[in-house]
Amino acid sequence: MKPDTKIDRILKDAASGRPITKSEATLLLGISENSLESSLLRATATAVNRQRFSNSGLLLGQIGVDMAPCDGDCAFCFFARSHTSIQANILSSDEIVVRCERFARGGAQGVFLMTMHRFGFEWFRDLCAELRRRVPPQLEILSNVGDISSAQLRELRDAGVTGAYHVCRIREGIDSRMTPAERRATIERILESGLSWYNMCEPLGPEHTHEELADQIWLGVDLQCTQHGVMQRFPVPGSPLYHYGQVSLSRLGQVVAVVTLATIGKENVKSIAVNVSNLVGLFSGANAFFPEAGEPDDQATQTETVKSNEGFTTALWRQGNEITTADCRAMMMAAGFSNLMDTDGVPNKPLQAKAYRHN
Ligand code: SF4
């Protein structure tokens, strides 16, 4: 068995430090996910990124703090107003603080606070400011909210937020009620405001074409993202895209590998994320996970109560148990990673099975 000569040449060039072009990315996205070439693609991306990030991984927690039927109405989403049965719910700041402390003990470097497309801005800004006073200082506060203005982004920054997740999704404007122009404008405002921009190729499904994926990935190649990555879509029963099903982990890994090779040499890209957290992703170039819960109880923390039926995380889409920081560290250790790192890509603690203690 011999790999295709052209693909072999592209991968060898990438291993030597040349980022792939957009047309090469389209070609690599089009190879069969179970082919020899796809395995070589994922292996090349693994080697490139283990060296690039000093064999270190990043954990960023996620907390859905505000959920309600959402006007964004995305055709894949649990919260879309047209097909959701969800009841409006806001998480208390005390509960968020408990969850943040658990994320910090689990080695997370930051936590994304997620809302719907429309949300109460003053409430959210004041929540961020309160958390900045109450949660461990090393835990960065990151936002994942709807399209907002430059002035609002500056207010979040002044409240202690250091970065913002924002995506011009695959098929934005077709599978959502937002336009690509609106989404891109917010991303440009995030960068202008001095916040770090967290980006992804999402929500990846089996129906997306190679050209669509390359186009969506390239916004994060052209603009200065701090994190790139890939998130798969989980089929939500009752949603218009449910019948498409979901991609395999090898396909998810293939797209992660393309993102990895497309961002070679980009000093601004400090990590490559994959969601759902999984081992195949760690062998495809990813080195960042979004744990859905912090450190599980031990004897020292049994007095704290997490009400797991409030708020939300991506576990809601999977209809499964939340993946904890302990689970993520275990996967990273099994994949041979040595350290955890900060959001700038600097290793700052050895990977270990037990929780971290902070003074
Ligand atoms: S993906 Fe976001 S904007 Fe779209 S419906 Fe869900 S919560 Fe709303």
Side-chain angles (χ1 to χ4, degrees), residues 255-277:
V255 184
V256 170
V258 167
V259 167
T260 298
L261 300 189
T263 54
I264 288 174
K266 296 262 174 203
E267 293 290 324
N268 53 288
V269 176
K270 305 296 188 186
S271 59
I272 301 288
V274 65
N275 204 24
V276 62
S277 304

Side-chain angles (χ1 to χ4, degrees), residues 314-337:
T314 48
L316 197 57
W317 276 261
R318 288 187 293 102
Q319 301 281 290
N321 292 333
E322 291 177 333
I323 298 172
T324 68
T325 44
D327 298 330
C328 290
R329 293 197 313 278
M331 281 189 269
M332 287 182 170
M333 290 171 73
F337 281 79

